[in-house]
Amino acid sequence: MATIKDVAKQAGVSVATVSRVLNSNGYVNEDTKKKVEEAIDRLNYKPNAVARSLYKKTSKTIGLMVPDIVNPFFPELARAVEDTAHKLGYNVVFCNTDENVEKEEHYLEILLQKYVDGLIVASNTLTAEKVRQLNIPVVSIDRKINADIPTVVVKNKSGARKATGFLLEMGCKRIAHLSGPEHIDNAMERRTGYLEEVGSEPWFDSSYIEDGNYDMKTAINATLQLLGRHPEIDGIFAGNDVMAIGAIKAAHKFGKKVPEDLAIIGFDGISLAEATTPELTTVGQPIYDMGTIVADLLVKLIEKKAVENTFFEFDVELIERESTRKV
Amino acid sequence: MATIKDVAKQAGVSVATVSRVLNSNGYVNEDTKKKVEEAIDRLNYKPNAVARSLYKKTSKTIGLMVPDIVNPFFPELARAVEDTAHKLGYNVVFCNTDENVEKEEHYLEILLQKYVDGLIVASNTLTAEKVRQLNIPVVSIDRKINADIPTVVVKNKSGARKATGFLLEMGCKRIAHLSGPEHIDNAMERRTGYLEEVGSEPWFDSSYIEDGNYDMKTAINATLQLLGRHPEIDGIFAGNDVMAIGAIKAAHKFGKKVPEDLAIIGFDGISLAEATTPELTTVGQPIYDMGTIVADLLVKLIEKKAVENTFFEFDVELIERESTRKV
DNA sequence: TTGAAAGCGATACCAC
DNA sequence: GTGGTATCGCTTTCAA
């Protein structure tokens, strides 16, 4: 590969001049500029990004840390992040943390050593203190870490109220909730939304809530428990779509028809939700838009551009499909 | 951040010595080693990976280029790749090419400038010639580019025969095929497998094949076409799971019960296939294993370690679930 | 408007 | 065993 020296030699100028035309900064005569550009073409010269990084202490790459890219929420997010990063001239290296602190810290260390310019994280193990120590911009997605850290989330509580309220409208009399893990803030917000909607109904008690761990297998069992305990349940609000799909499966096993006997609503709006039968009614997050916004925000922070806002709380939208019925 | 110079000063030695203990190569006295290590701890020194890259011309990062991470086949693959890369000390930067040549070439250029050590690609636009010019190891996944390029794929043809043969065993008399795009080799192999199984049946003609473009929406329409043309169809082999899910939906629309009236089988074994009702019978690829193998292979190639094999053709496995029935 | 030279932070060769 | 220093390829003062 040709280097800047080769180009300089070809063009009969110094490397400084080549650098100037490369970065179009500083004065350079039109003719010499032309000469340099010809040399660049002739040699098919591409500047070495690593050398550049070393000097500038930036790498034009950002890190994306998610618990698990296989979790259907994240591919779409990752896609949006990568799309806009690419558009803005950044590459993205992605990391699966499995919500494991050691793994996360290991990644952080490596990424810092590589001069990544910023980080997008979906994590509940990361603390504000650690983020500060990184000394690079960090944006949190899907979860709130701390008020000091720029964040992109959705209105989980009001979304949960929408979901539960919709079930009520549909005529459901006993609505159960499949909850996400207690250590994930958005799960707790969704649970709170559910409680605000039905927590003071005369029939309600906490045995209408079961932990489904945001995952399908657990949700199947949890739903079976729920249905065994309370056969009168006629509506389930699941804290995410994956659990809602589990609930549909469990309902079938249990001999309940969805939506006739049991209405089910999810949360997230992942594309999986359209693959089920019946198709899942859900509270949809604008996942792609959120990915676009985080990436945009992060790059602005990196490039020290003005940002009008460092906290984005997106509205969610009820998407009515087949798993809930009008009575 | 502390540099190697700071450490040298702290320890009262030269940077050369620090470098030696860092890389544990060359002779270094036990005591001075201890001194250096103490200095490293005290300063919380982490070597600068960029500087190292510049000198060594490698970056300990690999590129992963896929058409679209949102396509449910790829997250699991990406996960496997990232897992094993990480285990082996590499980061992975991921790129979505949308099967677009310009985008692909743009990525290649950038990645080269950043000294990525190797590439894993799922592409049908990349040519052997271009790969050669890159001058870094490249491994092809899911698609065959060229015999010279290390490749990890599955036995598409025999998998397709398994699928079609299974439908025959189940008692299907008229089996249609939803095919993937013509420019994707694995799609053509799967079609060939189907043809070998039923192409010479007296009833067969090419109107039993419809292009579903590996995508759900197209597959729904294609299935509707198929069913309209040939109401006698009682089995469908879809070239991938996403299309099979589309076929299930179309069947419902058309008023056919799956599997009673119509058996449907897919290909891939993505986790989506377990979310449907009925759950999808499919020909499963060992996606995670394939990802592990490609990453392993690529790293071996990068590190110029001996590889016994540069072509892996995995067996596929028929996973019988609910969308096909025993008559 | 251009060039020489000092970094950026490591590695590795060559002396001693 | 250890240190001095050229080198990796680029950017950016500082002079001319």
Side-chain angles (χ1 to χ4, degrees):
Chain A
M1 283 239 280
T3 75
I4 198 173
K5 269 190 189 167
D6 302 323
V7 175
K9 201 169 294 173
Q10 262 284 331
V13 300
S14 75
V15 297
T17 303
V18 178
S19 177
R20 278 187 204 104
V21 347
L22 243 35
N23 303 287
S24 38
N25 76 31
Y27 297 89
V28 37
N29 182 46
E30 267 307 313
D31 287 351
T32 63
K33 182 175 169 190
K34 207 145 286 168
K35 275 195 297 182
V36 171
E37 277 163 350
E38 279 170 25
I40 288 176
D41 282 354
R42 190 155 336 117
L43 297 174
N44 189 236
Y45 166 75
K46 308 270 178 266
N48 179 321
V50 175
R52 192 172 271 176
S53 282
L54 180 57
Y55 189 90
K56 312 253 275 189
K57 297 186 190 308
T58 87
S59 60
K60 287 284 183 181
T61 102
I62 65 175
L64 172 64
M65 305 189 40
V66 297
D68 182 3
I69 189 74
V70 167
N71 175 333
F73 179 82
F74 292 113
E76 189 171 344
L77 183 79
R79 173 73 213 231
V81 166
E82 203 275 317
D83 277 357
T84 87
H86 183 239
K87 219 166 282 166
L88 299 171
Y90 288 76
N91 284 124
V92 6
V93 356
F94 89 104
C95 311
N96 297 100
T97 62
D98 290 322
E99 316 238 17
N100 170 333
V101 193
E102 286 84 47
K103 241 181 135 179
E104 187 171 278
E105 294 192 339
H106 187 218
Y107 274 118
L108 290 176
E109 194 170 292
I110 296 174
L111 294 178
L112 278 186
Q113 292 180 235
K114 291 195 176 173
Y115 278 160
V116 294
D117 299 332
L119 249 33
I120 293 170
V121 294
S123 167
N124 16 261
T125 51
L126 201 56
T127 66
E129 180 50 22
K130 261 186 275 172
V131 169
R132 197 167 306 117
Q133 289 172 0
L134 296 177
N135 268 314
I136 56 173
V138 173
V139 181
S140 174
I141 176 84
D142 189 41
R143 307 177 189 192
K144 295 175 192 136
I145 295 179
N146 180 285
D148 296 341
I149 300 171
T151 299
V152 177
V153 288
V154 293
K155 292 178 177 153
N156 288 296
K157 200 179 74 178
S158 83
R161 294 194 67 157
K162 273 189 200 176
T164 314
F166 182 73
L167 255 21
L168 252 16
E169 276 175 40
M170 292 295 101
C172 295
K173 302 294 179 214
R174 295 292 184 276
I175 299 174
H177 176 48
L178 281 170
S179 149
E182 303 213 341
H183 65 280
I184 300 187
D185 58 0
N186 59 34
M188 288 307 95
E189 291 175 357
R190 291 172 199 179
R191 179 194 286 213
T192 303
Y194 160 79
L195 284 173
E196 289 186 357
E197 221 38 51
V198 299
S200 49
E201 297 277 328
W203 54 264
F204 179 81
D205 83 56
S206 64
S207 63
Y208 279 91
I209 299 181
E210 191 74 29
D211 185 352
N213 198 36
Y214 271 171
D215 121 319
M216 193 168 96
K217 291 233 165 60
T218 314
I220 293 180
N221 291 328
T223 306
L224 259 16
Q225 296 278 335
L226 238 23
L227 259 21
R229 198 151 60 219
H230 294 294
E232 75 280 11
I233 288 172
D234 56 1
I236 293 181
F237 163 47
N240 73 0
D241 288 343
V242 170
M243 293 195 295
I245 291 166
I248 292 182
K249 290 190 173 304
H252 281 135
K253 264 192 204 165
F254 201 87
K256 293 230 183 202
K257 276 197 164 17
V258 180
E260 292 80 357
D261 307 331
L262 179 63
I264 294 176
I265 187 166
F267 201 112
D268 278 353
I270 61 180
S271 46
L272 244 180
E274 290 179 83
T276 57
T277 320
E279 292 185 7
L280 190 64
T281 296
T282 188
V283 177
Q285 304 192 40
I287 306 181
Y288 192 92
D289 291 346
M290 292 167 70
T292 305
I293 290 285
V294 243
D296 242 331
L297 174 56
L298 180 64
V299 169
K300 282 205 181 102
L301 293 171
I302 290 171
E303 300 180 348
K304 300 194 190 304
K305 292 197 175 134
V307 295
E308 56 303 320
N309 202 343
T310 59
F311 182 74
F312 292 84
E313 199 176 30
F314 277 81
D315 273 316
V316 292
E317 175 197 8
L318 200 135
I319 303 168
E320 183 174 359
R321 288 199 277 246
E322 301 164 355
S323 67
T324 50
R325 69 20 192 116
K326 193 74 186 173
V327 285
Chain B
M1 283 238 279
T3 75
I4 197 173
K5 270 189 189 168
D6 302 324
V7 176
K9 201 168 294 172
Q10 262 285 331
V13 300
S14 75
V15 296
T17 301
V18 178
S19 178
R20 277 187 205 103
V21 348
L22 244 35
N23 303 288
S24 39
N25 75 33
Y27 298 88
V28 36
N29 181 48
E30 268 307 313
D31 289 350
T32 62
K33 184 175 168 190
K34 207 146 287 169
K35 274 194 299 181
V36 171
E37 278 164 348
E38 279 170 25
I40 288 176
D41 281 355
R42 189 153 338 116
L43 297 173
N44 190 237
Y45 166 75
K46 308 268 178 268
N48 180 321
V50 175
R52 193 172 270 176
S53 283
L54 180 57
Y55 190 89
K56 311 254 277 187
K57 296 188 192 309
T58 87
S59 60
K60 288 285 185 180
T61 103
I62 65 176
L64 172 64
M65 305 189 40
V66 298
D68 182 3
I69 190 71
V70 168
N71 176 332
F73 180 82
F74 291 114
E76 189 172 344
L77 185 78
R79 172 74 212 229
V81 166
E82 202 273 319
D83 278 356
T84 86
H86 183 239
K87 218 166 283 167
L88 298 171
Y90 288 76
N91 284 124
V92 5
V93 356
F94 90 104
C95 312
N96 297 101
T97 62
D98 291 323
E99 318 238 17
N100 171 334
V101 194
E102 287 84 46
K103 241 182 136 178
E104 187 171 276
E105 295 192 338
H106 187 218
Y107 275 119
L108 290 176
E109 195 169 291
I110 295 173
L111 294 178
L112 278 185
Q113 292 179 235
K114 292 196 176 172
Y115 278 162
V116 295
D117 300 330
L119 251 33
I120 293 170
V121 293
S123 166
N124 17 259
T125 50
L126 200 55
T127 65
E129 180 49 22
K130 259 185 276 172
V131 170
R132 196 167 308 117
Q133 291 173 358
L134 296 178
N135 268 315
I136 57 172
V138 173
V139 181
S140 174
I141 177 83
D142 188 42
R143 305 174 191 196
K144 296 176 190 135
I145 294 178
N146 179 285
D148 296 342
I149 300 171
T151 299
V152 176
V153 287
V154 292
K155 291 178 177 153
N156 289 296
K157 201 179 73 180
S158 82
R161 293 195 66 159
K162 273 188 200 177
T164 315
F166 181 74
L167 256 20
L168 251 16
E169 275 174 41
M170 291 295 100
C172 295
K173 303 294 180 212
R174 295 291 185 278
I175 300 173
H177 176 48
L178 280 171
S179 149
E182 305 213 340
H183 65 280
I184 300 188
D185 57 1
N186 58 35
M188 290 305 96
E189 292 174 357
R190 292 172 197 178
R191 179 194 286 213
T192 303
Y194 161 80
L195 285 173
E196 288 185 358
E197 219 41 48
V198 299
S200 48
E201 296 278 327
W203 55 263
F204 179 81
D205 84 57
S206 64
S207 63
Y208 280 91
I209 300 180
E210 192 74 29
D211 185 352
N213 197 37
Y214 271 171
D215 122 316
M216 192 167 97
K217 290 236 165 57
T218 316
I220 293 179
N221 290 328
T223 306
L224 259 14
Q225 295 278 335
L226 238 23
L227 258 20
R229 198 150 61 217
H230 294 293
E232 74 280 12
I233 287 172
D234 55 1
I236 292 181
F237 163 48
N240 73 0
D241 288 343
V242 171
M243 291 194 297
I245 292 165
I248 292 181
K249 291 190 172 303
H252 281 135
K253 262 192 206 164
F254 201 85
K256 293 231 183 202
K257 276 196 165 20
V258 180
E260 292 80 357
D261 306 332
L262 178 64
I264 294 177
I265 186 167
F267 200 112
D268 279 352
I270 61 180
S271 46
L272 244 181
E274 291 179 82
T276 57
T277 319
E279 291 185 7
L280 191 65
T281 297
T282 189
V283 176
Q285 303 193 41
I287 305 180
Y288 193 92
D289 291 346
M290 292 167 69
T292 305
I293 291 284
V294 243
D296 242 331
L297 175 57
L298 180 64
V299 170
K300 282 204 180 103
L301 259 18
I302 289 171
E303 300 180 349
K304 299 195 190 306
K305 293 199 175 134
V307 294
E308 56 305 321
N309 202 344
T310 60
F311 183 73
F312 292 84
E313 199 176 31
F314 277 80
D315 273 317
V316 291
E317 174 197 8
L318 200 135
I319 303 169
E320 184 174 356
R321 289 199 276 246
E322 301 166 355
S323 66
T324 51
R325 66 31 192 107
K326 194 75 186 172
V327 287

